[in-house]
Amino acid sequence: MQKTAVPFTRKDFGEDFLWGVTISAFQNEGAFNTDGKGLSIWDTFSGRKGKIKDKSHAQIATDFYNRYTQDILLAKLLGFSVFRFSISWSRILPKGTGAINPAGIDYYHRVIDACLELGLEPYITLYHWDLPQALEHKGGWSHRGVVFAFEEFVRICAREYGNKVKNWIVLNEPFGFTALGYMLGVHAPGKFGLSWFLPAVHHAVLAQAEAGRVLRDEVAGANIGTALSCSQIIPYSNSEADLQAARRADALFNRLFLEPALGMGYPVDDFPLLKKIGRRYALWRDWDRLAFDFDFIGVQNYFPLVVKYNSFMPIVKISEVKAKSRNVPLTGLGWEINGNGLYEVLKQFAAYKGIKKLIVTEGGAAFPDIPAEDGRVEDIARIQYFQEYLAAVLKARQEGIPVDGYFAWTLTDNFEWAEGYRARFGLVHVNFDTQQRTIKDSGYWFRELLNAES
């Protein structure tokens, strides 16, 4: 591979900086009904006509269930020291609660052991969007029972794996799975409206804290975090209407799950509609249960959002000014490429007194990635993306912001939710017909940066 200039070195970030790569269970494992696994909401949703843009499903995905050793070896080969993956709730508890599936328990022991044998530190995500379908039949995240079911699942995982695994991420992007799944209906389980969304938010906030307490009780020396999607919010103009729209957007996109965890409650001053949670869905005893003292907050930032006031948008009165219309650099999904947005989010989050440490637990970009005749996957645009975003992390770190790691999304191309297989984020190309893996130039770039051995 032709070498690509690296504008910084690994040493610039310090010896204690964590370099990781991330995958998720549903997007990678496949084996959707193998060895006793129950169905998840995404198994059901992806089987509904018109929900996945390329009409695909994740019944096989990248076959990580059978190829985990190969993929973990790839992560090591590229020089990473952290392997972040998620546990499929319905592989452990096929019905969401009750009877435990021994084959599921054994599988994740094998994955963890494979990481440890190679010197990769496992970071386990406990919920990465794949709720057991059996729980969705009872109301899913909109039903209070999900909180107790999640506690049960987390306790099982903590007791099984806590002697090997000390690093835990409770929820992955709770705003994403509540807004897209229970408000807009474009992700599983495909529900629409505030009557689903607001209770789903409240129960996810409760579950986030309760799971943290379970891990603290069960795992000696646990390092506990939760991973939040976030964007720099930029008002389209300096008009008061646009400034207020930006404050509402910030309350929703950045503060909705963070501030309750910090003991600040919901950001009702900037988004008064959230008062309905207290009036309709919260019990009096809930308010003392929303907060948890996390060891770190995972920051997952891909793009900034430019917003303006829109009187025709119901409830929020906000609309996004699309990146495509602003003539800015874009990924293959039309997302703005802007490393400064990550820097601003890190600075915003670090300003909270209750935050001890930040880790960028996801970051990456999708591009078409068509292999050349010689098999090479030349993805210079992705390399430039990582250069820009890592430079932003380095700037924040040099200014004293406690950002202690960067985990690339993702190791291999995978099933990218409603996009199907069209959106390729991987450092490793996957031919989904043959499951052949090919390291992209961006993967070799990381290997060069991280000084991996040949």
Side-chain angles (χ1 to χ4, degrees):
M1 188 203 85
Q2 182 180 355
K3 285 199 172 186
T4 305
V6 180
F8 37 69
T9 69
R10 179 176 186 160
K11 289 183 179 179
D12 292 332
F13 290 83
E15 291 300 319
D16 59 342
F17 192 79
L18 299 169
W19 295 96
V21 70
T22 300
I23 69 165
S24 87
F26 185 79
Q27 293 173 275
N28 291 79
E29 284 179 2
F32 79 108
N33 62 356
T34 299
D35 294 338
K37 178 186 173 294
L39 294 179
S40 76
I41 55 174
W42 271 96
D43 289 310
T44 302
F45 185 77
S46 59
R48 291 165 58 185
K49 186 176 180 179
K51 295 302 182 183
I52 309 302
K53 291 182 180 178
D54 63 359
K55 302 179 182 179
S56 64
H57 55 70
Q59 294 178 6
I60 300 172
T62 66
D63 195 31
F64 181 79
Y65 189 76
N66 297 303
R67 299 170 187 264
Y68 66 91
T69 302
Q70 176 187 358
D71 286 349
I72 293 169
L73 278 167
L74 280 169
K76 180 67 174 180
L77 176 68
L78 299 184
F80 293 103
S81 55
V82 168
F83 188 72
R84 178 190 167 199
F85 64 96
S86 71
I87 291 179
S88 166
W89 187 341
S90 59
R91 203 177 287 285
I92 301 296
L93 293 166
K95 299 298 183 184
T97 61
I100 297 172
N101 177 28
I105 294 288
D106 291 345
Y107 170 67
Y108 291 109
H109 273 298
R110 296 196 300 273
V111 173
I112 291 165
D113 290 345
C115 290
L116 296 176
E117 287 168 10
L118 287 171
L120 284 168
E121 189 72 25
Y123 271 63
I124 288 182
T125 307
L126 287 161
Y127 185 74
H128 202 127
W129 297 15
D130 48 353
L131 186 75
Q133 181 62 41
L135 293 179
E136 186 57 40
H137 288 319
K138 300 176 181 179
W141 284 101
S142 296
H143 186 271
R144 178 172 287 269
V146 75
V147 180
F148 307 108
F150 189 57
E151 284 183 72
E152 178 187 345
F153 166 63
V154 172
R155 196 172 300 277
I156 290 166
C157 292
R159 289 178 176 177
E160 277 292 337
Y161 310 123
N163 63 327
K164 301 177 183 178
V165 177
K166 300 304 178 184
N167 303 293
W168 300 84
I169 295 171
V170 175
L171 298 181
N172 183 80
E173 297 189 355
F175 180 71
F177 72 75
T178 55
L180 296 172
Y182 289 87
M183 178 68 189
L184 301 177
V186 295
H187 278 186
K191 292 181 175 176
F192 302 85
L194 286 173
S195 63
W196 297 109
F197 172 66
L198 291 177
V201 166
H202 185 59
H203 299 146
V205 169
L206 276 172
Q208 181 175 250
E210 297 292 5
R213 283 185 276 274
V214 169
L215 290 167
R216 193 70 79 206
D217 289 343
E218 297 287 349
V219 181
N223 180 41
I224 307 167
T226 198
L228 305 179
S229 54
C230 45
S231 289
Q232 179 194 15
I233 306 297
I234 304 169
Y236 184 62
S237 77
N238 288 324
S239 71
E240 185 58 31
D242 283 357
L243 292 172
Q244 289 184 6
R247 285 193 287 272
R248 287 195 300 279
D250 186 54
L252 276 178
F253 286 93
N254 295 329
R255 299 163 53 198
L256 184 57
F257 289 86
L258 177 64
E259 291 186 357
L262 296 173
M264 301 169 66
Y266 294 108
V268 295
D269 290 344
D270 287 318
F271 205 88
L273 180 73
L274 296 174
K275 292 178 182 178
K276 287 188 177 182
I277 291 177
R279 291 199 295 265
R280 297 186 183 180
Y281 307 111
L283 302 178
W284 63 269
R285 64 178 182 267
D286 290 352
W287 302 108
D288 293 331
R289 308 293 293 177
L290 301 181
F292 179 74
D293 186 21
F294 283 104
D295 298 304
F296 67 94
I297 296 295
V299 170
Q300 307 201 161
N301 167 267
Y302 288 89
F303 50 82
L305 282 172
V306 176
V307 299
K308 65 180 179 180
Y309 174 74
N310 185 343
S311 62
F312 296 105
M313 287 293 292
I315 304 167
V316 294
K317 307 295 183 185
I318 302 167
S319 63
E320 178 190 358
V321 182
K322 296 288 187 181
K324 188 175 181 180
S325 70
R326 293 185 281 110
N327 195 29
V328 293
L330 304 174
T331 70
L333 286 175
W335 298 355
E336 180 178 354
I337 300 171
N338 188 331
N340 187 64
L342 173 56
Y343 167 78
E344 292 294 340
V345 163
L346 291 170
K347 191 163 64 171
Q348 177 181 343
F349 275 36
Y352 286 98
K353 291 181 180 179
I355 289 183
K356 304 171 184 175
K357 181 169 64 175
L358 301 170
I359 299 174
V360 180
T361 42
E362 270 188 33
F367 294 102
D369 296 341
I370 300 171
E373 288 186 10
D374 63 359
R376 177 182 174 186
V377 184
E378 187 175 3
D379 58 341
I380 185 66
R382 183 174 290 107
I383 293 172
Q384 292 169 342
Y385 172 96
F386 281 120
Q387 287 177 338
E388 181 171 336
Y389 278 65
L390 282 168
V393 172
L394 182 58
K395 177 183 177 183
R397 191 165 163 84
Q398 289 173 338
E399 291 179 4
I401 291 172
V403 53
D404 286 2
Y406 187 95
F407 301 171
W409 180 267
T410 178
L411 176 63
T412 55
D413 296 332
N414 59 22
F415 180 83
E416 190 55 40
W417 309 116
E419 296 291 333
Y421 296 101
R422 302 188 314 166
R424 292 180 177 270
F425 279 87
L427 301 176
V428 177
H429 181 275
V430 176
N431 180 321
F432 292 106
D433 294 325
T434 65
Q435 293 295 337
Q436 180 180 342
R437 272 74 163 147
T438 303
I439 298 173
K440 302 177 188 178
D441 282 4
S442 59
Y444 288 115
W445 180 85
F446 263 109
R447 185 182 180 189
E448 180 184 353
L449 171 66
L450 301 179
N451 296 314
E453 295 179 358
S454 300

